[in-house]
Amino acid sequence: MIRIALDAMGGDSAPHVEVAGALEALRDLAPTFRMQLVGRVADIEAALRAHGTVDRSRLELIDAPEVVGMGEKPLAAVKGKPRSSIAVGLGLQKQGASDAFISAGNTGAVMAAATLLLRLHEGVQRAAIGALFPTPVHPVLVLDGGANVDCDARELVGFAHLGSVYVRDVLGREHPGVGLLNVGEEDEKGNGVVKEAHQLLKQANHIHYVGNVEGRDILAGECHQGGSTSSCATGSSATSCSNSTNPRAACSWAC
């Protein structure tokens, strides 16, 4: 059985859109899936009534009376609202009562709560947001997609490892290429952080590093230096890259 906790209070039209999506998902998913709707139970019940008779054998309602607004500061919201749908939903995963948590709410609050409640895996310095870009070849995973403002070279290498593992284990591509997003493919391109990350990635084990890549390579789904890519760390290449056009932003992608 796979239990998915859904933040029913996340998003602009919550909980109506979330409830409708959960019901549609249960119709499409295998019978082994269960959906846990986390939020203000009275509001969720009202949204369910709009759908008439609903089979609740695979639905569970979890009460979370507090809501984190989209404009709230992430860390303050997480600490100040311990009974929010985000905190309660991630708490279910921490307790082993849920297998996954999904939210369309405050992204920063989800990242902060996940870091505080679930902690980082050993060896991971920073969490990152991964965004799948559709391409004519196959999806390219770009990270970090907005969780961090300042990153050092070793953190960019960490994003490359995260992206490579995700593309390999989740997307099923055995040897994903990793690129570093940069302003050019040459070794001397980029700022100091990106140049250092480039050298570290060339020496990194367990990563198929294809080198620096440019933004156009992401949408093409391939890197001219090393064929197709699977993940990228935004900085200068295709699988793992950091955005050197903005020295304060960093990301990596994989394809």
Side-chain angles (χ1 to χ4, degrees), residues 165-176:
V165 170
Y166 182 93
V167 172
R168 183 194 69 200
D169 294 350
V170 178
L171 300 185
R173 295 204 282 274
E174 188 172 355
H175 298 293

Side-chain angles (χ1 to χ4, degrees), residues 2 14 16 19 21 33 40 52 60 63 93 102 167 169 190 222 248 254:
I2 299 176
H16 302 285
V19 167
F33 281 82
R40 293 171 175 165
E60 181 181 2
D63 189 42
Q93 191 171 349
I102 300 173
V167 172
D169 294 350
E222 59 186 8
R248 297 180 64 80

Side-chain angles (χ1 to χ4, degrees), residues 208-230:
H208 174 44
Y209 181 54
V210 300
N212 290 327
V213 298
E214 300 181 41
R216 65 188 179 192
D217 297 318
I218 297 177
L219 298 179
E222 59 186 8
C223 172
H224 299 301
Q225 291 187 335
S228 65
T229 53
S230 292

Side-chain angles (χ1 to χ4, degrees), residues 80-115:
K81 295 182 176 180
R83 300 184 66 197
S84 70
S85 52
I86 292 174
V88 173
L90 284 167
L92 291 172
Q93 191 171 349
K94 180 180 180 179
Q95 298 159 17
S98 181
D99 300 297
F101 175 70
I102 300 173
S103 176
N106 187 313
T107 304
V110 174
M111 288 289 294
T115 301

Side-chain angles (χ1 to χ4, degrees), residues 52-64:
T53 303
V54 173
D55 179 9
R56 298 200 180 195
S57 61
R58 297 161 63 197
L59 269 180
E60 181 181 2
L61 273 55
I62 309 292
D63 189 42

Side-chain angles (χ1 to χ4, degrees), residues 151-239:
C151 293
D152 61 30
R154 294 189 179 279
E155 288 167 346
L156 293 179
V157 174
F159 295 164
H161 279 285
L162 292 173
S164 188
V165 170
Y166 182 93
V167 172
R168 183 194 69 200
D169 294 350
V170 178
L171 300 185
R173 295 204 282 274
E174 188 172 355
H175 298 293
V178 173
L180 183 61
L181 185 60
N182 203 345
V183 293
E185 297 178 352
E186 298 81 8
D187 287 352
E188 67 272 12
K189 290 296 180 69
N191 60 20
V193 170
V194 172
K195 290 179 182 178
E196 182 183 355
H198 177 55
Q199 296 303 319
L200 291 174
L201 284 166
K202 288 199 293 185
Q203 303 168 23
N205 295 322
H206 311 299
I207 292 180
H208 174 44
Y209 181 54
V210 300
N212 290 327
V213 298
E214 300 181 41
R216 65 188 179 192
D217 297 318
I218 297 177
L219 298 179
E222 59 186 8
C223 172
H224 299 301
Q225 291 187 335
S228 65
T229 53
S230 292
S231 85
C232 163
T234 41
S236 65
S237 76
T239 302

